[in-house]
Amino acid sequence: MMYLRVTKTLLAGLLLAALEPASCRYTSRVRVPDPDKPMTRDWPCPSAVDIDPCICESDEYYNLIMDCSNVIDEMELFRVFEAAFPFEDILELVITQDPLDPHHNIRMLQEKVFGPITFERIRITGTKMAEVHEEAFVKSHDFLTYLNLANNQLRSFPFETLVSYTKLDTLLFDNNNFTDLFSIESPSLHTLSVSGNHRLLFDLDVFTKAPALTAIYMANIDLDELPPNLFSTLENIKTISLEDNYLKALPEFAFNPVKDTMTQLILNGNLLNNIYHDSIHGMAGHGFLSMVRNKMEYLESDIWQPIFDQAINGSINLAGNPLVCGCDIAWLMLADEDRYLRVLTETTTCNEGTVVHSLDKQYFVEHCPTVLH
């Protein structure tokens, strides 16, 4: 069974920036000139003339970074990577373009477009690319750790090949034109981001073959219903973001990873006004739950107290909700030593604007005896 969503604003660049790889060049490579090949002045890079309009740079550890942002189309990419490369292992490939620029027309990554060259990191963003051939990165299966194909026009990707990328850690597909997210099979993948793909559909077993996942970003995908047990097989999950969707309710077992590992659960900008019992499990004791800008009115103790207990050394942000702040929060206001109140952020207000932390506790003592009992 597939689950659907309806449209919203484009994912802010801050999220993608946070998912960028560290820029450090810590891998030291031994580069020895091949006595059978002439050593060019651009060594260890290939000849600058041969790879124009790409630019090759080397750091002090001889890690090579190829910037091909000025490439016009896939045929020019083919030509560049037919050049004689002193070394076939490149640290990073960068192609950053403007999809509105009529001079840039990369529309597909074809089979073996990069020849024998391998990459550890690939960042191709802002192109008109709609398709990636299943063997476009075939030589990098044993080396690729970071693949960023965000902000293109991708409609499809060979998801079935992911299992071949034995070291892949981070996969970013944000702000493309995907309509289907197929089962992710990868023993190594830690971070997956598919935010900004509108009306995205996925199967209930989409994450069951990716046991190492620690972060999942599915913001702004028009999600209006969350199936139960979607995250139930994940043993190491720390961050889940479903913000800026159209969720109205969280069903039982909406979030129930194997262990109490979630340190960030971000549900901002939805339409949530109904939280079922046992909908949230697996928060770490120092975890952060954010439900800013939703429609929550009541914080019933049988629903919310177990959630607060999970994040007892963390924080819960309910700012921007029309909270009634009646006897339904007496348990929150009057718990010994502010056990629960200190978990709630000081930005959380009642529907008329009063900060919850500033409410008079005596009011709840006098007006909510039945609730307290």
Side-chain angles (χ1 to χ4, degrees), residues 211-224:
L213 278 171
T214 59
I216 297 172
Y217 299 89
M218 302 174 75
N220 192 25
I221 59 172
D222 302 341
L223 183 64
D224 60 4

Side-chain angles (χ1 to χ4, degrees), residues 14 57 79 96 102 107 135 148 268 364:
L14 288 174
E57 294 181 350
R79 180 189 59 74
T96 303
R107 299 184 183 276
E135 293 194 2
N148 181 351
N268 300 339
F364 295 95

Side-chain angles (χ1 to χ4, degrees), residues 136-281:
F137 306 127
V138 65
K139 294 295 184 179
S140 297
H141 280 177
D142 295 329
F143 306 95
L144 193 64
T145 63
Y146 174 89
L147 180 58
N148 181 351
L149 299 180
N151 301 308
N152 293 293
Q153 298 176 18
L154 286 172
R155 297 189 302 270
S156 63
F157 181 85
F159 287 98
E160 68 278 6
T161 66
L162 288 178
V163 68
S164 302
Y165 295 89
T166 57
K167 296 181 180 179
L168 186 61
D169 176 271
T170 301
L171 183 61
L172 309 182
F173 282 140
D174 304 87
N175 304 325
N176 277 283
N177 296 325
F178 288 108
T179 56
D180 295 286
L181 178 63
F182 295 99
S183 179
I184 304 296
E185 184 174 358
S186 170
S188 61
L189 190 65
H190 286 97
T191 300
L192 172 69
S193 189
V194 294
S195 297
N197 288 280
H198 296 295
R199 298 175 179 265
L200 187 66
L201 302 174
F202 54 85
D203 291 319
L204 291 178
D205 64 351
V206 62
F207 303 127
T208 58
K209 296 180 180 179
L213 278 171
T214 59
I216 297 172
Y217 299 89
M218 302 174 75
N220 192 25
I221 59 172
D222 302 341
L223 183 64
D224 60 4
E225 183 182 358
L226 186 64
N229 298 306
L230 183 63
F231 308 103
S232 63
T233 61
L234 300 178
E235 297 187 8
N236 305 295
I237 192 68
K238 295 181 179 179
T239 299
I240 298 176
S241 172
L242 300 179
E243 62 183 319
D244 292 331
N245 282 296
Y246 293 89
L247 295 172
K248 295 180 180 179
L250 294 183
E252 188 178 25
F253 306 130
F255 302 98
N256 58 338
V258 175
K259 302 174 183 177
D260 296 339
T261 53
M262 285 195 298
T263 56
Q264 290 188 90
L265 178 54
I266 312 299
L267 301 171
N268 300 339
N270 280 279
L271 304 172
L272 290 168
N273 61 8
N274 194 1
I275 309 296
Y276 284 80
H277 191 270
D278 286 331
S279 62
I280 298 177
H281 284 283

